[in-house]
mmCIF file with all atom_site columns, all heavy atoms in Angstrom:
data_model
loop_
_atom_site.group_PDB
_atom_site.id
_atom_site.type_symbol
_atom_site.label_atom_id
_atom_site.label_alt_id
_atom_site.label_comp_id
_atom_site.label_asym_id
_atom_site.label_entity_id
_atom_site.label_seq_id
_atom_site.pdbx_PDB_ins_code
_atom_site.Cartn_x
_atom_site.Cartn_y
_atom_site.Cartn_z
_atom_site.occupancy
_atom_site.B_iso_or_equiv
_atom_site.pdbx_formal_charge
_atom_site.auth_seq_id
_atom_site.auth_comp_id
_atom_site.auth_asym_id
_atom_site.auth_atom_id
_atom_site.pdbx_PDB_model_num
ATOM 1  N N   . PRO A 1 497 ? 65.971 132.717 76.067 1.00 81.00 ? 594 PRO A N   1
ATOM 2  C CA  . PRO A 1 497 ? 65.022 133.769 76.487 1.00 81.00 ? 594 PRO A CA  1
ATOM 3  C C   . PRO A 1 497 ? 64.166 133.304 77.661 1.00 81.00 ? 594 PRO A C   1
ATOM 4  O O   . PRO A 1 497 ? 63.857 132.127 77.815 1.00 81.00 ? 594 PRO A O   1
ATOM 5  C CB  . PRO A 1 497 ? 64.188 134.013 75.224 1.00 81.00 ? 594 PRO A CB  1
ATOM 6  C CG  . PRO A 1 497 ? 64.291 132.736 74.463 1.00 81.00 ? 594 PRO A CG  1
ATOM 7  C CD  . PRO A 1 497 ? 65.647 132.178 74.746 1.00 81.00 ? 594 PRO A CD  1
ATOM 8  N N   . ASN A 1 498 ? 63.764 134.252 78.483 1.00 84.00 ? 595 ASN A N   1
ATOM 9  C CA  . ASN A 1 498 ? 62.873 134.018 79.610 1.00 84.00 ? 595 ASN A CA  1
ATOM 10 C C   . ASN A 1 498 ? 61.873 135.154 79.728 1.00 84.00 ? 595 ASN A C   1
ATOM 11 O O   . ASN A 1 498 ? 62.152 136.274 79.266 1.00 84.00 ? 595 ASN A O   1
ATOM 12 C CB  . ASN A 1 498 ? 63.666 133.911 80.917 1.00 84.00 ? 595 ASN A CB  1
ATOM 13 C CG  . ASN A 1 498 ? 64.481 132.651 81.019 1.00 84.00 ? 595 ASN A CG  1
ATOM 14 O OD1 . ASN A 1 498 ? 63.977 131.592 81.354 1.00 84.00 ? 595 ASN A OD1 1
ATOM 15 N ND2 . ASN A 1 498 ? 65.775 132.747 80.680 1.00 84.00 ? 595 ASN A ND2 1
ATOM 16 N N   . VAL A 1 499 ? 60.730 134.857 80.319 1.00 89.00 ? 596 VAL A N   1
ATOM 17 C CA  . VAL A 1 499 ? 59.732 135.917 80.548 1.00 89.00 ? 596 VAL A CA  1
ATOM 18 C C   . VAL A 1 499 ? 60.268 136.861 81.616 1.00 89.00 ? 596 VAL A C   1
ATOM 19 O O   . VAL A 1 499 ? 60.628 136.431 82.723 1.00 89.00 ? 596 VAL A O   1
ATOM 20 C CB  . VAL A 1 499 ? 58.393 135.311 80.998 1.00 89.00 ? 596 VAL A CB  1
ATOM 21 C CG1 . VAL A 1 499 ? 57.419 136.423 81.374 1.00 89.00 ? 596 VAL A CG1 1
ATOM 22 C CG2 . VAL A 1 499 ? 57.812 134.442 79.896 1.00 89.00 ? 596 VAL A CG2 1
ATOM 23 N N   . THR A 1 500 ? 60.352 138.142 81.288 1.00 88.00 ? 597 THR A N   1
ATOM 24 C CA  . THR A 1 500 ? 60.889 139.123 82.241 1.00 88.00 ? 597 THR A CA  1
ATOM 25 C C   . THR A 1 500 ? 59.814 140.053 82.806 1.00 88.00 ? 597 THR A C   1
ATOM 26 O O   . THR A 1 500 ? 59.946 140.497 83.947 1.00 88.00 ? 597 THR A O   1
ATOM 27 C CB  . THR A 1 500 ? 61.970 139.978 81.551 1.00 88.00 ? 597 THR A CB  1
ATOM 28 O OG1 . THR A 1 500 ? 61.387 140.665 80.445 1.00 88.00 ? 597 THR A OG1 1
ATOM 29 C CG2 . THR A 1 500 ? 63.124 139.099 81.071 1.00 88.00 ? 597 THR A CG2 1
ATOM 30 N N   . ASP A 1 501 ? 58.800 140.326 82.024 1.00 91.00 ? 598 ASP A N   1
ATOM 31 C CA  . ASP A 1 501 ? 57.748 141.271 82.460 1.00 91.00 ? 598 ASP A CA  1
ATOM 32 C C   . ASP A 1 501 ? 56.379 140.784 81.960 1.00 91.00 ? 598 ASP A C   1
ATOM 33 O O   . ASP A 1 501 ? 56.252 140.304 80.822 1.00 91.00 ? 598 ASP A O   1
ATOM 34 C CB  . ASP A 1 501 ? 58.000 142.673 81.915 1.00 91.00 ? 598 ASP A CB  1
ATOM 35 C CG  . ASP A 1 501 ? 59.358 143.224 82.321 1.00 91.00 ? 598 ASP A CG  1
ATOM 36 O OD1 . ASP A 1 501 ? 60.340 142.960 81.606 1.00 91.00 ? 598 ASP A OD1 1
ATOM 37 O OD2 . ASP A 1 501 ? 59.416 143.903 83.347 1.00 91.00 ? 598 ASP A OD2 1
ATOM 38 N N   . VAL A 1 502 ? 55.374 140.943 82.804 1.00 92.00 ? 599 VAL A N   1
ATOM 39 C CA  . VAL A 1 502 ? 53.981 140.682 82.423 1.00 92.00 ? 599 VAL A CA  1
ATOM 40 C C   . VAL A 1 502 ? 53.155 141.888 82.885 1.00 92.00 ? 599 VAL A C   1
ATOM 41 O O   . VAL A 1 502 ? 52.989 142.124 84.088 1.00 92.00 ? 599 VAL A O   1
ATOM 42 C CB  . VAL A 1 502 ? 53.435 139.381 83.064 1.00 92.00 ? 599 VAL A CB  1
ATOM 43 C CG1 . VAL A 1 502 ? 51.978 139.183 82.640 1.00 92.00 ? 599 VAL A CG1 1
ATOM 44 C CG2 . VAL A 1 502 ? 54.274 138.179 82.649 1.00 92.00 ? 599 VAL A CG2 1
ATOM 45 N N   . LEU A 1 503 ? 52.683 142.689 81.924 1.00 92.00 ? 600 LEU A N   1
ATOM 46 C CA  . LEU A 1 503 ? 51.859 143.871 82.214 1.00 92.00 ? 600 LEU A CA  1
ATOM 47 C C   . LEU A 1 503 ? 50.406 143.514 81.894 1.00 92.00 ? 600 LEU A C   1
ATOM 48 O O   . LEU A 1 503 ? 50.109 143.063 80.791 1.00 92.00 ? 600 LEU A O   1
ATOM 49 C CB  . LEU A 1 503 ? 52.298 145.061 81.378 1.00 92.00 ? 600 LEU A CB  1
ATOM 50 C CG  . LEU A 1 503 ? 53.811 145.393 81.427 1.00 92.00 ? 600 LEU A CG  1
ATOM 51 C CD1 . LEU A 1 503 ? 54.094 146.601 80.537 1.00 92.00 ? 600 LEU A CD1 1
ATOM 52 C CD2 . LEU A 1 503 ? 54.267 145.658 82.849 1.00 92.00 ? 600 LEU A CD2 1
ATOM 53 N N   . VAL A 1 504 ? 49.489 143.701 82.836 1.00 92.00 ? 601 VAL A N   1
ATOM 54 C CA  . VAL A 1 504 ? 48.091 143.278 82.634 1.00 92.00 ? 601 VAL A CA  1
ATOM 55 C C   . VAL A 1 504 ? 47.149 144.483 82.667 1.00 92.00 ? 601 VAL A C   1
ATOM 56 O O   . VAL A 1 504 ? 47.391 145.478 83.378 1.00 92.00 ? 601 VAL A O   1
ATOM 57 C CB  . VAL A 1 504 ? 47.663 142.248 83.705 1.00 92.00 ? 601 VAL A CB  1
ATOM 58 C CG1 . VAL A 1 504 ? 48.549 141.005 83.604 1.00 92.00 ? 601 VAL A CG1 1
ATOM 59 C CG2 . VAL A 1 504 ? 47.749 142.812 85.112 1.00 92.00 ? 601 VAL A CG2 1
ATOM 60 N N   . GLN A 1 505 ? 46.069 144.384 81.904 1.00 91.00 ? 602 GLN A N   1
ATOM 61 C CA  . GLN A 1 505 ? 45.027 145.419 81.901 1.00 91.00 ? 602 GLN A CA  1
ATOM 62 C C   . GLN A 1 505 ? 44.045 145.153 83.045 1.00 91.00 ? 602 GLN A C   1
ATOM 63 O O   . GLN A 1 505 ? 44.007 144.062 83.631 1.00 91.00 ? 602 GLN A O   1
ATOM 64 C CB  . GLN A 1 505 ? 44.286 145.397 80.556 1.00 91.00 ? 602 GLN A CB  1
ATOM 65 C CG  . GLN A 1 505 ? 45.154 145.771 79.377 1.00 91.00 ? 602 GLN A CG  1
ATOM 66 C CD  . GLN A 1 505 ? 45.561 147.223 79.367 1.00 91.00 ? 602 GLN A CD  1
ATOM 67 O OE1 . GLN A 1 505 ? 46.578 147.591 79.973 1.00 91.00 ? 602 GLN A OE1 1
ATOM 68 N NE2 . GLN A 1 505 ? 44.765 148.069 78.706 1.00 91.00 ? 602 GLN A NE2 1
ATOM 69 N N   . GLU A 1 506 ? 43.257 146.151 83.338 1.00 90.00 ? 603 GLU A N   1
ATOM 70 C CA  . GLU A 1 506 ? 42.292 146.036 84.426 1.00 90.00 ? 603 GLU A CA  1
ATOM 71 C C   . GLU A 1 506 ? 41.318 144.895 84.146 1.00 90.00 ? 603 GLU A C   1
ATOM 72 O O   . GLU A 1 506 ? 40.815 144.737 83.012 1.00 90.00 ? 603 GLU A O   1
ATOM 73 C CB  . GLU A 1 506 ? 41.538 147.371 84.571 1.00 90.00 ? 603 GLU A CB  1
ATOM 74 C CG  . GLU A 1 506 ? 40.604 147.380 85.776 1.00 90.00 ? 603 GLU A CG  1
ATOM 75 C CD  . GLU A 1 506 ? 39.937 148.731 85.942 1.00 90.00 ? 603 GLU A CD  1
ATOM 76 O OE1 . GLU A 1 506 ? 40.303 149.681 85.209 1.00 90.00 ? 603 GLU A OE1 1
ATOM 77 O OE2 . GLU A 1 506 ? 39.037 148.836 86.790 1.00 90.00 ? 603 GLU A OE2 1
ATOM 78 N N   . GLY A 1 507 ? 41.067 144.099 85.147 1.00 89.00 ? 604 GLY A N   1
ATOM 79 C CA  . GLY A 1 507 ? 40.150 142.963 84.993 1.00 89.00 ? 604 GLY A CA  1
ATOM 80 C C   . GLY A 1 507 ? 40.842 141.660 84.706 1.00 89.00 ? 604 GLY A C   1
ATOM 81 O O   . GLY A 1 507 ? 40.182 140.614 84.674 1.00 89.00 ? 604 GLY A O   1
#
Side-chain angles (χ1 to χ4, degrees):
N595 289 278
V596 174
T597 60
D598 303 86
V599 179
L600 309 179
V601 299
Q602 296 290 87
E603 186 177 353

